[in-house]
Amino acid sequence: MKVNKLVVLLCLLFTAQLHAQTPTQRTINTFMSDRFGMFIHWGPVTLRGTEIGWSRDKEVPMEDYDSLYKEFNPALFNADAWVKTAKDAGMRYLTITARHHDGFCLWPTKYTAYNISNTPYKKDILKALQVACKKQGIKLCIYYSVLDWHHPDYPIHSAHNGKIDPHANMQRYVAFMKNQLKELIVNYDPFMLWFDGQWESPWTDSLGREIYTYVKSIKPGIITNNRLGKKFAAMENKAIDPAEMVGDYDTPERAVGRLNMTMPWESSFTICQQWAWKPNDHLQSLKTILAILSKTAGGNGNLLLNVGPMSDGRIEARQVKRLQEIGDWLKINGTAVYNTYGGPYEATANYATTRKGNKIYLHVLNTDTAALVLPALPGAKVVGAHTMTGQSVTVNTGSEGIQVSLPERLKGKLQYVVVLELDKDAMTLPVVKL
Ligand code: FHN
């Protein structure tokens, strides 16, 4: 009888705690436990193989760039195949550039003719992805650019010419944004909105807060990144004051975020060099990407890894293969990534750590060394250690700290994880900044 009462009490406590959270907190918790998502930069610019938005009025003359949609016919686009590629990579969500800085829309929006329905392809890319994501259990997220160099009411019309157009009208432009955002939320039910492009002078934090409040009024549980406002970590990986952010989580870019147990963050990286597809672009090695994945999880953050599909709608076979290799690694080591917390040790070139329950997951990045020495853990003892496949690992705690002797047979191999069993909950340990 006592056990039943305990179970009921625990259920009541869990439910109460859940309801104590706001819809945003609940969604953020789910998002941060997912740890790994696919970023997709795609649009008519892939017909030229140059960078989306940024090559307009540079490598590609503005008029040519803005006419590419008339040729855009990704006949080999297969939403199920894209989503399966993300799922096989171990990714839990997918973020697509529904409208990047060039203003082209991948859905049949009512608010501008510059959209997929007026291309030879005609069909709704976003709807196909929404259906495929739902079918395969992947969260659909939407990238939406705050700036739009193509729209007549946005005052700046090129990345390479900041001249303000006196005929533009920001009030009309913000109304246009709100109409499109309502269209996107109501018709495609995204899990998250990934804003971008807020650095130019026409945009202000106050407009960012107006849009943030607006999207939450349509879907209270939706979350956004912090690129509705001017404060975000970006490529400099700046330390941001949460009070100054507009949005729910921070966005380091092409950099692993800082270990932070209170501020949610997600780092975006490219699997190649360019965001949009580029012929013969350099493909990142598996070693490089896995180290980034372990370090982002080790920092208590997410990794959003970008792929750039080709103009015919396919993702390059070599990118699909790399993603499959990441998924194969996660099949063995996913417990050390998904639904874990970062730390307690800050990542180094040799290792990263995540934790859950009484376990610390030691991600061994430098497999050429015979041992790793970790700083002592205050008030905790390592009572056992093994690889994810159960092979015992020798650990000695002494004056210099915790020495983990790495298995000889794994020397020089791909990174792997050693599980350190503790005599207490790993979440009670303070962060160890090195
Ligand atoms: O200008 C964009 C760029 O094209 C790309 O979309 C990245 C993705 O994080 N964000 C902006 C650069 O910070």
Side-chain angles (χ1 to χ4, degrees), residues 39 41 52 54 100-101 143 194 196 199 227 253 268 275:
F39 211 174
H41 280 66
I52 191 166
W54 296 94
H100 201 263
H101 310 330
Y143 170 112
W194 213 96
D196 203 8
W199 51 79
R227 294 193 182 189
E253 181 177 324
S268 52
W275 293 101

Side-chain angles (χ1 to χ4, degrees), residues 263-326:
M263 160 98 87
W265 57 265
E266 172 198 61
S267 281
S268 52
F269 279 86
T270 50
I271 200 168
C272 287
Q273 297 298 315
Q274 198 168 268
W275 293 101
W277 178 76
K278 174 181 174 183
N280 307 312
D281 198 356
H282 167 72
L283 178 64
Q284 304 284 11
S285 68
L286 178 60
K287 178 179 164 69
T288 299
I289 297 171
L290 289 178
I292 292 170
L293 178 61
S294 287
K295 287 180 176 178
T296 46
N300 205 41
N302 284 19
L303 172 61
L304 186 62
L305 182 64
N306 181 79
V307 298
M310 296 182 281
S311 59
D312 65 6
R314 291 176 301 154
I315 297 173
E316 278 184 313
R318 61 176 185 147
Q319 294 188 28
V320 173
K321 181 172 178 293
R322 182 69 80 243
L323 291 163
Q324 180 66 65
E325 291 167 344
I326 298 166

Side-chain angles (χ1 to χ4, degrees), residues 7 30 97 116 132 144 146 192 208 272 326 348 352 388:
V7 168
T30 303
T97 54
I116 194 74
Y144 187 83
V146 160
M192 172 258 281
C272 287
I326 298 166
T348 71
M388 295 298 274

